[in-house]
Amino acid sequence: MAEPEILRLARTGDSKAFAALYNEHHETVSRYIMFRVRDRHLAEDLTSETFLRALRRISTFSWQGRDIGAWLVTIARNIVADYYKSSRFRLEWPTGEMRDMDQMVGDSADVALDTLAKSDVREIVRTAVARLNTRQATVIRLRYLEERSITETAAALNTTTGAVKTMTLRAMQNLQHSLIDMRGVA
């Protein structure tokens, strides 16, 4: 498989070709990062950093027959990992969270119990999703965790929008039954 012309042009410094690559892959990279950091402004910053790093290193990219999107997501993964390893992450306290903390009522024991309850709920839902078949778990991840539209989910799964709607309905029904079963056990 020959290297795409747009990639060849971008590697030689053609800004319009790189802009086309940016337009083609921006949403995928942004969604990947947003899924991991759960902060829109931070995701925008890290997405910009991803494409800046890609622009600096595009001349070193070696075509191996794979989509350049995989390379961009690898850069994004490394940038997210670097962010979480940095001291900046440990020192940051978003102002929205500070305001929320100011409005909390109760002592530290109440806050700790609330935090534990939320983590228990997340774990229960994670377990229920793990009980789904692979296709249903994927549709739940794409639709609700990555917040993709039905059309985007259909494209990612290489299926129709009707099939996505049906899979989503069945997955949600199976999740409901699984959660009821788990609740009965607890």
Side-chain angles (χ1 to χ4, degrees):
M1 182 178 220
E3 178 179 32
E5 181 68 15
I6 194 164
L7 180 55
R8 188 189 63 73
L9 290 171
R11 289 179 59 215
T12 61
D14 186 326
S15 60
K16 288 182 182 176
F18 189 82
L21 288 173
Y22 173 89
N23 289 334
E24 182 179 343
H25 298 284
H26 178 267
E27 186 175 339
T28 302
V29 171
S30 179
R31 191 181 319 255
Y32 174 88
I33 292 172
M34 181 62 185
F35 182 68
R36 279 146 185 80
V37 300
R38 293 285 181 201
D39 178 304
R40 183 173 54 87
H41 298 293
L42 176 60
E44 289 171 0
D45 290 347
L46 297 180
T47 300
S48 295
E49 179 63 28
T50 299
F51 282 97
L52 183 62
R53 192 175 292 180
L55 178 61
R56 286 186 196 135
R57 298 182 182 165
I58 190 88
S59 62
T60 64
F61 177 77
S62 174
W63 173 254
Q64 298 174 354
R66 292 187 214 123
D67 182 34
I68 192 168
W71 180 64
L72 293 168
V73 169
T74 300
I75 293 171
R77 184 188 70 223
N78 292 337
I79 286 174
V80 169
D82 290 347
Y83 170 77
Y84 281 119
K85 285 189 271 184
S86 74
S87 60
R88 185 178 91 186
F89 167 70
R90 290 186 291 276
L91 297 175
E92 278 185 2
W93 192 293
T95 56
E97 290 179 22
M98 288 175 63
R99 185 176 57 247
D100 293 343
M101 290 296 284
D102 290 343
Q103 294 173 358
M104 281 186 164
V105 177
D107 63 8
S108 59
D110 291 338
V111 173
L113 288 173
D114 185 49
T115 302
L116 280 173
K118 287 179 182 175
S119 70
D120 285 346
V121 168
R122 279 192 294 270
E123 186 57 38
I124 289 168
V125 171
R126 190 175 293 123
T127 301
V129 170
R131 290 180 174 184
L132 296 174
N133 67 43
T134 304
R135 198 119 165 116
Q136 288 179 350
T138 301
V139 88
I140 292 296
R141 179 180 52 81
L142 293 172
R143 290 283 293 126
Y144 298 106
L145 297 177
E146 294 184 17
E147 299 176 356
R148 293 192 189 194
S149 69
I150 291 173
T151 306
E152 293 170 326
T153 303
L157 294 174
N158 196 25
T159 191
T160 65
T161 57
V164 168
K165 290 176 185 178
T166 301
M167 278 190 283
T168 303
L169 175 65
R170 289 185 181 149
M172 294 303 280
Q173 288 170 339
N174 288 340
L175 272 176
Q176 182 180 16
H177 292 303
S178 188
L179 289 169
I180 289 170
D181 290 346
M182 290 169 63
R183 188 173 174 202
V185 170

Short mmCIF file of all heavy atoms in Angstrom, two decimals, residues 29-47 76-77 79-81 83-84 88-89 94 97:
data_model
loop_
_atom_site.label_atom_id
_atom_site.label_comp_id
_atom_site.label_asym_id
_atom_site.label_seq_id
_atom_site.Cartn_x
_atom_site.Cartn_y
_atom_site.Cartn_z
N VAL A 29 -8.91 12.44 17.93
CA VAL A 29 -7.90 12.71 18.97
C VAL A 29 -8.54 13.43 20.15
O VAL A 29 -8.31 13.07 21.31
CB VAL A 29 -6.72 13.52 18.38
CG1 VAL A 29 -5.79 14.01 19.47
CG2 VAL A 29 -5.97 12.70 17.35
N SER A 30 -9.37 14.42 19.86
CA SER A 30 -10.03 15.17 20.92
C SER A 30 -10.92 14.28 21.77
O SER A 30 -10.91 14.35 23.00
CB SER A 30 -10.86 16.29 20.29
OG SER A 30 -11.52 17.02 21.27
N ARG A 31 -11.66 13.41 21.13
CA ARG A 31 -12.56 12.49 21.86
C ARG A 31 -11.73 11.52 22.71
O ARG A 31 -12.08 11.23 23.85
CB ARG A 31 -13.42 11.72 20.86
CG ARG A 31 -14.53 10.96 21.50
CD ARG A 31 -15.34 10.20 20.49
NE ARG A 31 -15.57 10.98 19.29
CZ ARG A 31 -16.71 11.55 18.96
NH1 ARG A 31 -17.75 11.41 19.73
NH2 ARG A 31 -16.84 12.24 17.87
N TYR A 32 -10.63 11.02 22.16
CA TYR A 32 -9.75 10.11 22.90
C TYR A 32 -9.27 10.79 24.18
O TYR A 32 -9.33 10.21 25.27
CB TYR A 32 -8.56 9.71 22.02
CG TYR A 32 -7.53 8.88 22.74
CD1 TYR A 32 -7.65 7.50 22.80
CD2 TYR A 32 -6.46 9.48 23.38
CE1 TYR A 32 -6.71 6.74 23.48
CE2 TYR A 32 -5.52 8.73 24.06
CZ TYR A 32 -5.65 7.37 24.11
OH TYR A 32 -4.73 6.61 24.79
N ILE A 33 -8.82 12.01 24.05
CA ILE A 33 -8.29 12.73 25.21
C ILE A 33 -9.40 13.07 26.20
O ILE A 33 -9.25 12.88 27.41
CB ILE A 33 -7.53 14.00 24.77
CG1 ILE A 33 -6.25 13.59 24.00
CG2 ILE A 33 -7.20 14.89 25.95
CD1 ILE A 33 -5.53 14.74 23.34
N MET A 34 -10.53 13.54 25.70
CA MET A 34 -11.65 13.91 26.57
C MET A 34 -12.11 12.71 27.39
O MET A 34 -12.43 12.85 28.57
CB MET A 34 -12.80 14.46 25.73
CG MET A 34 -13.99 14.88 26.54
SD MET A 34 -13.57 16.22 27.67
CE MET A 34 -15.11 16.37 28.54
N PHE A 35 -12.13 11.54 26.78
CA PHE A 35 -12.54 10.33 27.48
C PHE A 35 -11.61 10.04 28.66
O PHE A 35 -12.03 9.49 29.67
CB PHE A 35 -12.53 9.16 26.49
CG PHE A 35 -12.97 7.86 27.08
CD1 PHE A 35 -14.28 7.67 27.48
CD2 PHE A 35 -12.08 6.81 27.23
CE1 PHE A 35 -14.69 6.46 28.03
CE2 PHE A 35 -12.48 5.60 27.77
CZ PHE A 35 -13.79 5.43 28.16
N ARG A 36 -10.36 10.46 28.56
CA ARG A 36 -9.39 10.16 29.61
C ARG A 36 -9.27 11.26 30.67
O ARG A 36 -8.98 10.98 31.81
CB ARG A 36 -8.04 9.86 29.00
CG ARG A 36 -8.01 8.43 28.50
CD ARG A 36 -7.19 8.21 27.27
NE ARG A 36 -7.34 6.83 26.83
CZ ARG A 36 -8.37 6.37 26.14
NH1 ARG A 36 -9.34 7.16 25.79
NH2 ARG A 36 -8.43 5.10 25.78
N VAL A 37 -9.47 12.52 30.28
CA VAL A 37 -9.26 13.59 31.26
C VAL A 37 -10.56 14.18 31.81
O VAL A 37 -10.56 14.82 32.85
CB VAL A 37 -8.37 14.73 30.71
CG1 VAL A 37 -7.00 14.21 30.33
CG2 VAL A 37 -9.02 15.44 29.54
N ARG A 38 -11.67 14.00 31.09
CA ARG A 38 -13.00 14.45 31.53
C ARG A 38 -13.06 15.93 31.89
O ARG A 38 -13.76 16.33 32.82
CB ARG A 38 -13.47 13.62 32.73
CG ARG A 38 -13.73 12.20 32.40
CD ARG A 38 -15.01 12.12 31.66
NE ARG A 38 -15.31 10.72 31.33
CZ ARG A 38 -16.12 10.39 30.37
NH1 ARG A 38 -16.70 11.31 29.65
NH2 ARG A 38 -16.35 9.14 30.13
N ASP A 39 -12.30 16.75 31.18
CA ASP A 39 -12.33 18.19 31.37
C ASP A 39 -12.18 18.81 29.99
O ASP A 39 -11.14 18.64 29.34
CB ASP A 39 -11.19 18.63 32.30
CG ASP A 39 -11.13 20.13 32.50
OD1 ASP A 39 -11.05 20.87 31.50
OD2 ASP A 39 -11.16 20.57 33.67
N ARG A 40 -13.21 19.53 29.55
CA ARG A 40 -13.23 20.03 28.17
C ARG A 40 -12.06 20.96 27.88
O ARG A 40 -11.40 20.84 26.85
CB ARG A 40 -14.55 20.75 27.90
CG ARG A 40 -14.69 21.23 26.48
CD ARG A 40 -16.07 21.79 26.20
NE ARG A 40 -16.51 22.83 27.11
CZ ARG A 40 -16.24 24.13 26.97
NH1 ARG A 40 -15.56 24.54 25.94
NH2 ARG A 40 -16.67 25.00 27.86
N HIS A 41 -11.76 21.89 28.78
CA HIS A 41 -10.69 22.84 28.54
C HIS A 41 -9.33 22.15 28.52
O HIS A 41 -8.49 22.45 27.66
CB HIS A 41 -10.72 23.95 29.59
CG HIS A 41 -11.99 24.74 29.56
ND1 HIS A 41 -12.33 25.56 28.51
CD2 HIS A 41 -13.02 24.80 30.44
CE1 HIS A 41 -13.52 26.10 28.75
NE2 HIS A 41 -13.96 25.66 29.91
N LEU A 42 -9.12 21.25 29.45
CA LEU A 42 -7.87 20.50 29.47
C LEU A 42 -7.75 19.65 28.21
O LEU A 42 -6.68 19.57 27.60
CB LEU A 42 -7.80 19.62 30.72
CG LEU A 42 -6.57 18.71 30.82
CD1 LEU A 42 -5.29 19.52 30.82
CD2 LEU A 42 -6.67 17.84 32.07
N ALA A 43 -8.83 19.02 27.79
CA ALA A 43 -8.82 18.20 26.58
C ALA A 43 -8.45 19.04 25.36
O ALA A 43 -7.68 18.60 24.50
CB ALA A 43 -10.16 17.51 26.37
N GLU A 44 -8.98 20.25 25.29
CA GLU A 44 -8.64 21.14 24.17
C GLU A 44 -7.15 21.47 24.19
O GLU A 44 -6.49 21.47 23.15
CB GLU A 44 -9.46 22.43 24.25
CG GLU A 44 -10.93 22.23 23.91
CD GLU A 44 -11.78 23.45 24.21
OE1 GLU A 44 -11.25 24.49 24.68
OE2 GLU A 44 -13.00 23.38 23.97
N ASP A 45 -6.61 21.77 25.37
CA ASP A 45 -5.18 22.08 25.49
C ASP A 45 -4.32 20.89 25.07
O ASP A 45 -3.35 21.04 24.32
CB ASP A 45 -4.83 22.48 26.93
CG ASP A 45 -5.39 23.84 27.32
OD1 ASP A 45 -5.84 24.58 26.43
OD2 ASP A 45 -5.39 24.13 28.54
N LEU A 46 -4.68 19.70 25.57
CA LEU A 46 -3.88 18.52 25.26
C LEU A 46 -4.02 18.12 23.80
O LEU A 46 -3.07 17.61 23.20
CB LEU A 46 -4.26 17.37 26.19
CG LEU A 46 -3.98 17.60 27.68
CD1 LEU A 46 -4.39 16.38 28.50
CD2 LEU A 46 -2.53 17.97 27.95
N THR A 47 -5.18 18.36 23.20
CA THR A 47 -5.37 18.09 21.77
C THR A 47 -4.48 19.02 20.96
O THR A 47 -3.81 18.58 20.01
CB THR A 47 -6.85 18.26 21.37
OG1 THR A 47 -7.63 17.34 22.13
CG2 THR A 47 -7.05 18.00 19.89
N ALA A 76 -1.17 11.40 21.52
CA ALA A 76 -2.14 11.86 22.51
C ALA A 76 -2.03 11.04 23.79
O ALA A 76 -2.07 11.60 24.90
CB ALA A 76 -3.55 11.78 21.94
N ARG A 77 -1.91 9.71 23.65
CA ARG A 77 -1.79 8.85 24.83
C ARG A 77 -0.57 9.25 25.65
O ARG A 77 -0.62 9.34 26.88
CB ARG A 77 -1.69 7.39 24.39
CG ARG A 77 -1.66 6.43 25.58
CD ARG A 77 -1.37 5.01 25.17
NE ARG A 77 0.01 4.92 24.73
CZ ARG A 77 0.42 4.27 23.65
NH1 ARG A 77 -0.42 3.63 22.90
NH2 ARG A 77 1.69 4.25 23.33
N ILE A 79 0.93 12.18 25.72
CA ILE A 79 0.72 13.51 26.31
C ILE A 79 -0.18 13.41 27.54
O ILE A 79 0.09 14.05 28.56
CB ILE A 79 0.16 14.48 25.25
CG1 ILE A 79 1.29 14.86 24.29
CG2 ILE A 79 -0.45 15.72 25.88
CD1 ILE A 79 0.87 15.69 23.11
N VAL A 80 -1.22 12.60 27.46
CA VAL A 80 -2.10 12.41 28.63
C VAL A 80 -1.31 11.77 29.77
O VAL A 80 -1.41 12.20 30.93
CB VAL A 80 -3.34 11.57 28.26
CG1 VAL A 80 -4.11 11.15 29.50
CG2 VAL A 80 -4.25 12.35 27.32
N ALA A 81 -0.51 10.76 29.44
CA ALA A 81 0.31 10.12 30.48
C ALA A 81 1.29 11.11 31.10
O ALA A 81 1.46 11.15 32.33
CB ALA A 81 1.06 8.93 29.89
N TYR A 83 0.91 14.31 31.30
CA TYR A 83 0.13 15.24 32.10
C TYR A 83 -0.13 14.66 33.50
O TYR A 83 0.06 15.33 34.50
CB TYR A 83 -1.20 15.57 31.41
CG TYR A 83 -2.13 16.35 32.32
CD1 TYR A 83 -1.92 17.69 32.55
CD2 TYR A 83 -3.18 15.72 32.98
CE1 TYR A 83 -2.74 18.41 33.41
CE2 TYR A 83 -4.01 16.42 33.83
CZ TYR A 83 -3.78 17.76 34.04
OH TYR A 83 -4.59 18.45 34.90
N TYR A 84 -0.56 13.40 33.54
CA TYR A 84 -0.87 12.80 34.84
C TYR A 84 0.39 12.55 35.68
O TYR A 84 0.31 12.51 36.90
CB TYR A 84 -1.67 11.51 34.67
CG TYR A 84 -3.13 11.79 34.39
CD1 TYR A 84 -3.73 11.37 33.22
CD2 TYR A 84 -3.90 12.49 35.30
CE1 TYR A 84 -5.07 11.64 32.97
CE2 TYR A 84 -5.23 12.77 35.07
CZ TYR A 84 -5.81 12.35 33.89
OH TYR A 84 -7.12 12.62 33.66
N ARG A 88 2.28 19.38 37.77
CA ARG A 88 1.20 20.33 37.51
C ARG A 88 -0.15 19.70 37.82
O ARG A 88 -1.02 20.32 38.39
CB ARG A 88 1.27 20.79 36.06
CG ARG A 88 0.26 21.87 35.74
CD ARG A 88 0.39 22.31 34.32
NE ARG A 88 -0.51 21.48 33.54
CZ ARG A 88 -0.59 21.48 32.24
NH1 ARG A 88 0.21 22.25 31.55
NH2 ARG A 88 -1.45 20.73 31.62
N PHE A 89 -0.31 18.43 37.45
CA PHE A 89 -1.57 17.73 37.70
C PHE A 89 -1.84 17.64 39.20
O PHE A 89 -2.95 17.86 39.64
CB PHE A 89 -1.53 16.33 37.09
CG PHE A 89 -2.64 15.44 37.57
CD1 PHE A 89 -3.94 15.68 37.19
CD2 PHE A 89 -2.38 14.38 38.42
CE1 PHE A 89 -4.98 14.87 37.62
CE2 PHE A 89 -3.41 13.56 38.85
CZ PHE A 89 -4.70 13.82 38.46
N PRO A 94 -9.14 22.74 39.88
CA PRO A 94 -10.01 23.59 39.07
C PRO A 94 -10.96 24.41 39.92
O PRO A 94 -11.50 23.93 40.92
CB PRO A 94 -10.79 22.57 38.21
CG PRO A 94 -9.91 21.35 38.19
CD PRO A 94 -9.20 21.34 39.52
N GLU A 97 -14.37 23.02 40.91
CA GLU A 97 -14.37 22.05 42.00
C GLU A 97 -14.21 22.76 43.34
O GLU A 97 -14.80 22.33 44.34
CB GLU A 97 -13.26 21.03 41.80
CG GLU A 97 -13.52 20.08 40.65
CD GLU A 97 -12.39 19.08 40.46
OE1 GLU A 97 -11.63 18.85 41.41
OE2 GLU A 97 -12.27 18.56 39.35
#
